[in-house]
Amino acid sequence: MKKKRILLKVGSNTLTKETDNISRGKIEDLANQIAKLQDTCEFVIVSSGAIAAAKQFVKLESKGKEITVKQALASIGQPHLIRIYQEIFRECGLLTSQCLLSYSDFEKEQSRTNIVNTINVLVANNYIPIINENDTVATDEIKFGDNDKLGALTASLLKADLFIIATNTNGIYTKESMENGTPKTIEVVEDFDALLKQVVSSKSKHGSGGMLSKIEAATVTKNANIETWIVNGLEDNFILNAFDNKIQFTKIK
């Protein structure tokens, strides 16, 4: 049986559970769910969180000195982030690998082919690729919206069956409900232009995303005929519950 290929994009606010530290509990939650689904699904993860991881360790390591340059923080935090994934996923019997990509990689035919070949080999050997932007060389890093676009481009390149964006809301809310202060989830989106009119722009605390960048990402996957789900990653078992339709989230078909 061919496994369903899922590209899971996890933002900083999900990984930190909206605190200032990477949440080991959240990474355990991801690992537990992936372990339960491994007979039917194969996962590729696009994960933010390098800068959040750095903020956790940098004061300890550099005797309290403050480092403010985002690229430098990303460089310090990335190995910590991958180590946390590796330790926790290993406890669930899952193998992980790291892939750092930059946007220019998607523009060159040769690098696109290399990305696909490498990731296919990893997945075929039961390694879960954990992808992040190569922030230390990226100058536009913060412009791209907390890896939403990186996730969408990667999903399209790898011909994923499903693109799941884990965020801190129950999907996309209608504009009217946001203005009333009673958020109501748009459950299924068939008409994209109507969706754009619903969006209220907001940035998350750690991330550089917000709902608009998620919709822009969904535009990319929609053009590649990939369904996108926007799910509340702060909840435990959010992937399993979305599959069972036990929670409210947005499906963009």
Side-chain angles (χ1 to χ4, degrees):
M1 186 190 89
K2 189 176 173 295
K3 291 185 181 183
K4 190 172 187 158
R5 177 170 285 191
I6 297 175
L7 192 300
L8 172 65
K9 183 262 158 178
V10 191
S12 314
N13 49 13
T14 302
L15 279 181
T16 58
K17 285 189 143 177
E18 301 191 307
T19 65
D20 289 327
N21 292 325
I22 296 290
S23 160
R24 294 183 79 94
K26 179 42 65 183
I27 294 182
E28 279 166 19
D29 176 48
L30 293 175
N32 287 329
Q33 295 181 79
I34 290 171
K36 285 180 183 148
L37 291 165
Q38 63 183 338
D39 293 341
T40 51
C41 301
E42 56 187 34
F43 279 84
V44 176
I45 298 175
V46 167
S47 175
S48 307
I51 292 173
K55 286 176 178 167
Q56 202 164 329
F57 290 102
V58 81
K59 287 206 172 83
L60 297 171
E61 294 174 338
S62 55
K63 300 188 170 56
K65 278 205 196 81
E66 199 59 62
I67 295 179
T68 54
V69 177
K70 284 200 158 94
Q71 274 91 337
L73 283 170
S75 165
I76 295 163
Q78 184 64 28
H80 283 299
L81 179 67
I82 288 294
R83 178 177 51 80
I84 296 168
Y85 266 112
Q86 205 165 20
E87 285 170 5
I88 291 173
F89 274 50
R90 190 183 287 139
E91 285 166 17
C92 287
L94 301 170
L95 302 167
T96 53
S97 63
Q98 167 181 273
C99 301
L100 293 177
L101 300 178
S102 51
Y103 283 87
S104 56
D105 294 331
F106 290 90
E107 288 157 13
K108 304 185 199 95
E109 187 61 44
Q110 188 59 56
S111 16
R112 282 208 305 270
T113 306
N114 293 346
I115 294 168
V116 172
N117 291 345
T118 303
I119 289 179
N120 283 341
V121 168
L122 287 165
V123 170
N125 288 286
N126 293 321
Y127 277 82
I128 297 167
I130 296 176
I131 298 169
N132 199 349
E133 186 170 350
N134 194 355
D135 287 339
T136 46
V137 297
T139 44
D140 316 337
E141 169 232 346
I142 308 308
K143 279 187 204 159
F144 282 108
D146 204 24
N147 280 342
D148 293 324
K149 187 176 173 192
L150 184 69
L153 290 169
T154 309
S156 307
L157 190 61
L158 297 175
K159 299 185 164 57
D161 297 300
L162 178 62
F163 177 38
I164 299 178
I165 300 178
T167 186
N168 58 346
T169 59
N170 300 330
I172 303 172
Y173 300 136
T174 65
K175 195 169 185 174
E176 191 184 13
S177 73
M178 287 295 280
E179 285 160 1
N180 301 343
T182 52
K184 183 173 178 299
T185 301
I186 300 170
E187 294 192 0
V188 180
V189 175
E190 308 272 5
D191 178 353
F192 221 78
D193 297 330
L195 177 66
L196 287 171
K197 296 194 181 81
Q198 293 287 350
V199 178
V200 183
S201 99
S202 66
K203 283 271 200 294
S204 59
K205 183 177 165 212
H206 285 285
S208 47
M211 220 24 99
L212 197 57
S213 82
K214 290 172 180 43
I215 289 172
E216 285 165 2
T219 313
V220 173
T221 40
K222 189 177 169 63
N223 290 338
N225 294 317
I226 298 167
E227 190 168 309
T228 299
W229 292 3
I230 299 176
V231 185
N232 191 337
L234 297 175
E235 304 291 332
D236 283 346
N237 289 318
F238 66 96
I239 306 169
L240 297 171
N241 287 339
F243 275 127
D244 293 340
N245 273 314
K246 286 182 180 166
I247 50 171
Q248 288 201 311
F249 64 98
T250 301
K251 281 183 187 179
I252 300 174
K253 296 196 164 179

